[in-house]
Amino acid sequence: MSREIERKFLLKSDAWRELADGVAYRQGYLSTVPERTVRVRIAGDDAFLTVKGRNVKNTRAEFEYPIPLTDAEQMLKLCEGPLVEKKRYEIPHAGKTWQVDEYFGDNRGLILAEVELDFESEQPEIPDWIGEEVSGDPRYYNSNLAKQPFNSWAAS
């Protein structure tokens, strides 16, 4: 079984911006029930269908498959809620690749960093531009950002 172990963080500075170029992402969700999410994603010129299981701490089952771009465009029209639009930057740091997502649309103003780990208790070296950890806060899950965008709750 494929699995994903990741931690999410807010950022405390813009120092990361000079470290990478970004790729535009559009993604939507065909299912967002707690037991599973089914995501359609277009990243640049590539497209993927991803199935993820329920989170247990920072770990969950994950299965991702490349699909034709034209199929992804059609599937995005079937998705729940607004699409999640963002630009992703991949930044190497101390043997890990940090992914920084700058959101647009209804999630404009939100910038998150995440790092994938090899095992649950792994402690990666944290870059200076990383701020508060939000791994356990479901508001920051992309599937929830599609249903309850950042701009609907950030000001409260």
Side-chain angles (χ1 to χ4, degrees):
M1 173 175 67
S2 193
R3 66 187 174 115
E4 171 186 66
I5 305 169
E6 71 180 10
R7 292 173 59 191
K8 290 182 181 256
F9 299 83
L10 297 175
L11 282 73
K12 64 181 179 184
S13 82
D14 281 341
W16 59 272
R17 287 192 183 275
E18 62 194 41
L19 303 174
D21 293 324
V23 173
Y25 277 55
R26 285 187 305 138
Q27 63 192 46
Y29 291 85
L30 297 166
S31 173
T32 57
V33 297
E35 294 77 23
R36 82 198 67 73
T37 60
V38 181
R39 177 184 71 205
V40 178
R41 172 184 277 171
I42 296 175
D45 294 327
D46 299 314
F48 304 91
L49 183 66
T50 306
V51 179
K52 295 186 180 193
R54 181 186 289 274
N55 279 36
V56 178
K57 296 185 182 176
N58 295 327
T59 303
R60 62 184 164 184
E62 178 182 55
F63 306 91
E64 184 166 80
Y65 306 96
I67 61 173
L69 186 59
T70 54
D71 288 359
E73 291 282 359
Q74 293 300 311
M75 286 184 204
L76 285 175
K77 295 175 184 175
L78 302 174
C79 290
E80 304 170 350
L83 297 181
V84 173
E85 301 171 89
K86 61 187 178 182
K87 192 173 239 187
R88 174 166 281 177
Y89 304 82
E90 294 197 347
I91 303 168
H93 179 80
K96 293 289 181 192
T97 299
W98 288 77
Q99 297 173 329
V100 175
D101 290 339
E102 179 178 19
Y103 291 84
F104 301 101
D106 291 340
N107 290 297
R108 182 175 300 280
L110 178 61
I111 302 175
L112 289 173
E114 62 184 47
V115 62
E116 291 203 13
L117 306 175
D118 295 321
F119 50 92
E120 183 79 36
S121 61
E122 183 177 2
Q123 296 297 317
E125 183 179 309
I126 307 292
D128 292 341
W129 38 268
I130 293 293
E132 175 188 355
E133 183 166 4
V134 295
S135 298
D137 188 337
R139 294 179 302 171
Y140 294 101
Y141 299 169
N142 280 283
S143 58
N144 288 338
L145 290 171
K147 295 186 289 188
Q148 294 180 317
F150 177 69
N151 289 326
S152 72
W153 53 266
S156 49

